Amino acid sequence: MRPNAPVPARAHGSAPPGLHVAADGPEPHQEPDLPADRSQAILETTKKVGAVLKRSGHRFALAGGVAVYAQGGSARGGLQHDADFCVLPEDAEAVAAALREAGLTVRVPPEDWLLKTTCLGQDVDIIFELSYGPVTAELLDRADDLPVDSVQMPVLSATDLLVGLNSAFSEHHCDFGAVLPVARALREKVDWTEVRRRCADRPMPAAFLYLLERLDVIEKEGGDR
């Protein structure tokens, strides 16, 4: 997942036991009618992979920039990176098998918090650990069932998306400008008290929340928005 994509993750912890590198196989056929527009191509990829995960019966939730879009964020800047899905660590092996059965080649990168595949020429990340810890059943319980370009699927809640974005800020990655439009777009759907509770004890997230207050995106601590 790219650093400026919502809900970024970090290399933390270890890969789930028993997770193996998938055998190489043919990449999925590039459909001739795939939209030339990159954002629409990523949406098509999201729908196809989401449908595979739904059929597999394993729990998941859409994350990243497409999740922000599904929650009401703007796609004006384009969905320029990839499609991201969260799965439980204990399901990673079975999810990889389901993707392989659907004709996708699953790769295990050096980072030990995700799997990677490619669908319709677009990158797809299957994430089992976020910036603030492993994907949990509770996180998936909070997901909203939303349409993604006409296909219903679970999408990380707006609050969890902002927690992920804030948690990823550090001295080495602190691009407030990339996250500010997301906070503006989703502010009415976010539980900012919960974001503060989970993030504000660290300097960079605290600075971003202070910036949101000064810009009148959110009210000062103790107020409601």
Side-chain angles (χ1 to χ4, degrees), residues 7 71 132 139 142 144 155-167 186-199:
V7 195
Q71 284 286 3
Y132 48 85
L139 176 76
R142 294 192 296 268
D144 300 311
V155 178
L156 285 184
S157 74
T159 298
D160 284 317
L161 287 169
L162 265 296
V163 167
L165 287 166
N166 275 273
S167 297
L186 303 188
R187 62 183 178 181
E188 300 295 341
K189 302 178 75 173
V190 174
D191 182 343
W192 292 104
T193 299
E194 180 69 5
V195 174
R196 286 187 174 99
R197 184 187 71 79
R198 294 168 64 182
C199 302

Side-chain angles (χ1 to χ4, degrees), residues 5-223:
V7 195
R10 60 185 170 89
H12 177 271
S14 58
L19 188 62
H20 304 293
V21 177
D24 288 339
E27 291 292 341
H29 176 64
Q30 183 74 25
E31 295 185 359
D33 59 349
L34 183 67
D37 177 76
R38 180 73 186 279
S39 294
Q40 189 59 42
I42 290 175
L43 287 175
E44 292 297 324
T45 294
T46 300
K47 291 191 292 182
K48 287 184 176 293
V49 174
V52 171
L53 295 177
K54 287 169 69 174
R55 288 195 301 269
S56 76
H58 297 292
R59 301 190 65 193
F60 74 96
L62 181 65
V66 188
V68 171
Y69 171 74
Q71 284 286 3
S74 173
R76 182 174 55 185
L79 304 172
Q80 295 298 317
H81 300 297
D82 50 22
D84 305 295
F85 295 87
C86 291
V87 302
L88 295 171
E90 58 267 30
D91 287 344
E93 174 73 7
V95 167
L99 294 171
R100 290 195 297 270
E101 289 172 5
L104 302 179
T105 298
V106 180
R107 305 183 298 279
V108 179
E111 300 87 352
D112 57 5
W113 41 267
L114 81 167
L115 306 173
K116 286 183 173 288
T117 188
T118 303
C119 179
L120 300 176
Q122 307 302 313
D123 292 333
V124 179
D125 289 350
I126 306 296
I127 299 165
F128 40 83
E129 183 158 352
L130 297 166
S131 55
Y132 48 85
V135 175
T136 64
E138 291 75 20
L139 176 76
L140 300 183
D141 285 343
R142 294 192 296 268
D144 300 311
D145 191 41
L146 297 174
V148 180
D149 200 29
S150 78
V151 174
Q152 293 284 137
M153 67 181 72
V155 178
L156 285 184
S157 74
T159 298
D160 284 317
L161 287 169
L162 265 296
V163 167
L165 287 166
N166 275 273
S167 297
F169 288 139
S170 70
E171 291 82 356
H172 303 290
H173 167 66
C174 197
D175 187 359
F176 289 173
V179 183
L180 180 58
V182 178
R184 286 187 186 277
L186 303 188
R187 62 183 178 181
E188 300 295 341
K189 302 178 75 173
V190 174
D191 182 343
W192 292 104
T193 299
E194 180 69 5
V195 174
R196 286 187 174 99
R197 184 187 71 79
R198 294 168 64 182
C199 302
D201 59 336
R202 283 157 286 163
M204 296 304 176
F208 182 67
L209 291 168
Y210 176 70
L211 175 65
L212 294 182
E213 292 176 359
R214 291 298 304 270
L215 293 175
D216 292 325
V217 175
I218 62 175
E219 293 189 358
K220 293 183 179 180
E221 188 169 7

